Amino acid sequence: NQTPSIYPRILEVPPLPPPFFPDAPCETAVKLAIETKARALVGMTRSGYTAYQLAKCRPMAHIFIFTDNPVLINTMSLVWGV
C-alpha cells in the first residue's frame, strides 16, 4: 500500500508570451510626453489595458482615458494617475 501524497503535484510554469503589441505605443507615448513635457496623455480603451500600460510608467503628465464601458469607468478610478 502506498500512502497518498499530501502535496499536490508540481506543475511546470508556462513560458512567458511574447510582448503584446500595444505595449510599444503606450511606452512610446510616455517617452514622448516626458521629452516634450506634455501636460496630459489622452487615450481610449475598451478593456482598460491602455490605461494600465500608461499608468504603470508613472508619467508626470495627467492621464485621461475614455471608454464606452460603464463598469470600466469605475475600475479606472482606482488606477493610479488615471
Side-chain angles (χ1 to χ4, degrees):
N1 281 338
Q2 264 188 330
T3 52
S5 175
I6 60 170
Y7 301 106
R9 64 186 180 139
I10 297 174
L11 300 176
E12 290 184 27
V13 177
L16 292 174
F20 192 52
F21 174 73
D23 294 350
C26 291
E27 290 174 10
T28 303
V30 171
K31 287 178 185 176
L32 283 171
I34 292 169
E35 289 177 12
T36 62
K37 296 183 174 101
R39 297 184 68 192
L41 288 168
V42 179
M44 297 185 73
T45 186
R46 291 226 168 140
S47 65
Y49 188 82
T50 302
Y52 288 116
Q53 290 302 310
L54 290 174
K56 90 172 181 183
C57 296
R58 303 287 194 257
M60 295 299 294
H62 296 287
I63 301 172
F64 296 98
I65 298 294
F66 297 94
T67 184
D68 60 352
N69 184 344
V71 175
L72 188 60
I73 292 172
N74 292 332
T75 304
M76 289 296 100
S77 65
L78 300 174
V79 177
W80 183 91
V82 177

